[in-house]
Amino acid sequence: MSRARTVDDPSRLSIGHRLRFLAKDSLLYGGAAAFNKAFALVTFPILARHFSVEDYGLIDFFTVLASLFTILMVFGQDTAVARFFYDEDETASRRRVISQSLSFQLLVLAVILPLAWVASDRIGTWLNPAPESRLLLKLVLLQVPCLVLINFAQNILKWTFARARFLTVSIGSTTVSVLGILTAIAAFDLSVVGVIAIYLVTQAVFGLLGLWFVRHWLVRPRDWQYVRPMLIFAIPYGIVCTVGAAVPALERTLIVEFLGSRELGLFAAGAKVAMLIGLPITAFQIAWGPFSLAIYKTEDADRTYNWVLKLFSVVILAAVMVLTALSEIVIHVLAGSAYAGASIVVFGLSLGLALEATGWITAIGINLSKRSYLNLYAYATFLAVSLTAMMALLPFFGLAGIAWGALLGYAAKTVVESWLAQRAYPLPWAYEGTVRLGLLTMSAGLASQIVSGTIGRAAGGLVAAAGALAVLAYGWTSVLNAHDRLLIVQAAGSVRGRRFFR
């Protein structure tokens, strides 16, 4: 076997052992990616206490903008590489897939970024009225090539199961950024511009390191055989990823326009706490991609898919209610009393993320059928419902209206993409229990917010805690059947020490 080819094969495992495989990679790959995504959470208490609420909102705004621009430049190529990588059996062909995709991404950067730089002064002023906006936008544009390289390297290392190098890029970049910010705060009077500059330097270093780590997969492109089919496959994913990244930016733009810079800072704080639910979601998503594709040809793939759907929905929806119950306490501990009230957005945003993650499971048929354009309909629904609901609810409910608007958009997206996936690649999903569990969670969260607004936040937290217990009890007794529960017990009993990570 070639040195470059180190792909494991979960398709040969039993369902119980597949659970261990998925859990292991969720902790290794997904955990590292989640830690990297948690960078904003790691720095949240540091920046929130060092800067004013308004300045913290500005940092958050341009950080979200950097993510949006990066997704625009990648435009679905990461998903396309993953799909075509597994279609090829020869290492040489896989290298060509990877190299041609990277070359195309670099070409797009070379064309688009100079144009954006020329227009950056005008765009920066239009995006945000703060005096530093033009300089901050220039720093964001310089970040984009670095972020593209990091994204590219992480994906190749993930799909090729290069665990140690993946961890180095993911965790290393986060750790160095945190240390840089801590040092700058201790030694200097760190400014908003300084924070974005530290991000830029760190991302440049780890972007180049990641490229070095995947050098064995890179060859000089002698033709563009894979570019056209990958581009056709990637365009719908590029559009949907852009829409997904654009909604957080639109949320913040609406808040600046209609509520003000202080509310932007409060929303940023609440969104960071809601992001806690994104950590296990990211861990799961990173492992679920290669796992689901590796087993889809096996006879019992549908049983494994259903098992994952039920277990994941129970765990993640219960976690949403626990986070809602603790959100006010978490915000007070991390950011202080200046951010009181930011917890109002936590339930809506976190449940929205949980529903989207559940939809990734039930929408696997779109990817398996290679009819990626179907995602466009789901994300068009998401964008239309989210923006309509936000604009309708914002005048009456303020920040809570933004969060509930996003939640309604995520719910609509999950329903549409699951329905389309069934038409493209039918699978015998056990929808009913998961749907009832989602409705129970939404009802408990709404009751918690009503009690918080009428009686007090402490009482609302107690209602949310009761909701978490109800979700767990219903999930264990009604969503999971006896065989499911037995598998969980057996898998938990087999996960011990080195056997798990072997």
Side-chain angles (χ1 to χ4, degrees), residues 2 8-9 62 73 85 96 105 110 146 171 188 226 240 255-256 265 369 374 382 390 448 453 486:
S2 168
D8 296 337
D9 187 8
F62 280 95
M73 294 298 102
F85 179 91
R96 291 169 62 202
Q105 291 178 59
C146 309
I171 296 179
F188 311 102
Y226 295 101
V240 300
I255 291 169
V256 170
S369 69
L374 293 176
F382 171 53
M390 287 179 194
S448 171
L486 179 61

Side-chain angles (χ1 to χ4, degrees), residues 49-92:
R49 293 181 181 276
H50 181 75
F51 291 100
S52 66
V53 175
E54 292 79 5
D55 282 346
Y56 179 72
L58 189 63
I59 293 171
D60 175 77
F61 181 88
F62 280 95
T63 302
V64 169
L65 203 62
S67 298
L68 173 60
F69 288 170
T70 302
I71 289 172
L72 275 169
M73 294 298 102
V74 174
F75 212 70
Q77 280 294 309
D78 47 357
T79 305
V81 169
R83 190 66 184 91
F84 282 80
F85 179 91
Y86 275 101
D87 269 353
E88 301 292 338
D89 294 323
E90 298 296 326
T91 299

Side-chain angles (χ1 to χ4, degrees), residues 177-201:
S177 293
V178 172
L179 291 176
I181 288 176
L182 287 172
T183 302
I185 289 177
F188 311 102
D189 184 17
L190 182 63
S191 65
V192 172
V193 173
V195 172
I196 305 300
I198 289 173
Y199 294 169
L200 170 60
V201 173

Side-chain angles (χ1 to χ4, degrees), residues 93-218:
S93 297
R94 290 179 170 185
R95 283 174 170 155
R96 291 169 62 202
V97 168
I98 291 169
S99 301
Q100 290 179 23
S101 176
L102 177 61
S103 300
F104 180 77
Q105 291 178 59
L106 294 178
L107 179 62
V108 171
L109 284 169
V111 173
I112 300 297
L113 282 187
L115 298 176
W117 185 274
V118 170
S120 60
D121 287 344
R122 181 175 300 177
I123 296 173
T125 304
W126 174 74
L127 286 173
N128 197 293
E132 311 100 310
S133 293
R134 290 181 293 178
L135 177 56
L136 290 172
L137 182 58
K138 285 184 168 65
L139 292 175
V140 164
L141 292 176
L142 291 175
Q143 284 184 56
V144 172
C146 309
L147 290 170
V148 168
L149 290 179
I150 290 176
N151 177 76
F152 174 80
Q154 285 181 323
N155 277 287
I156 301 307
L157 295 171
K158 174 183 68 175
W159 293 108
T160 57
F161 296 89
R163 292 178 172 90
R165 293 184 173 189
F166 182 90
L167 292 172
T168 300
V169 174
S170 298
I171 296 179
S173 59
T174 301
T175 304
V176 172
S177 293
V178 172
L179 291 176
I181 288 176
L182 287 172
T183 302
I185 289 177
F188 311 102
D189 184 17
L190 182 63
S191 65
V192 172
V193 173
V195 172
I196 305 300
I198 289 173
Y199 294 169
L200 170 60
V201 173
T202 305
Q203 291 154 1
V205 171
F206 280 90
L208 294 174
L209 180 62
L211 195 62
W212 173 258
F213 280 165
V214 300
R215 68 190 185 281
H216 297 299
W217 286 99
L218 300 177

Side-chain angles (χ1 to χ4, degrees), residues 237 358-368 375 414 417-418 421-422 429 431:
Y237 283 103
T358 306
W360 291 333
I361 301 174
T362 56
I364 184 66
I366 293 177
N367 203 10
L368 295 179
N375 285 296
T414 299
E417 69 183 353
S418 299
Q422 277 298 90
W429 289 109
Y431 287 121

Side-chain angles (χ1 to χ4, degrees), residues 464-488:
L469 294 175
V471 168
L472 278 175
Y474 183 81
W476 184 258
T477 58
S478 299
V479 177
L480 299 170
N481 58 36
H483 181 65
D484 297 331
R485 294 191 289 270
L486 179 61
L487 278 176
I488 294 173

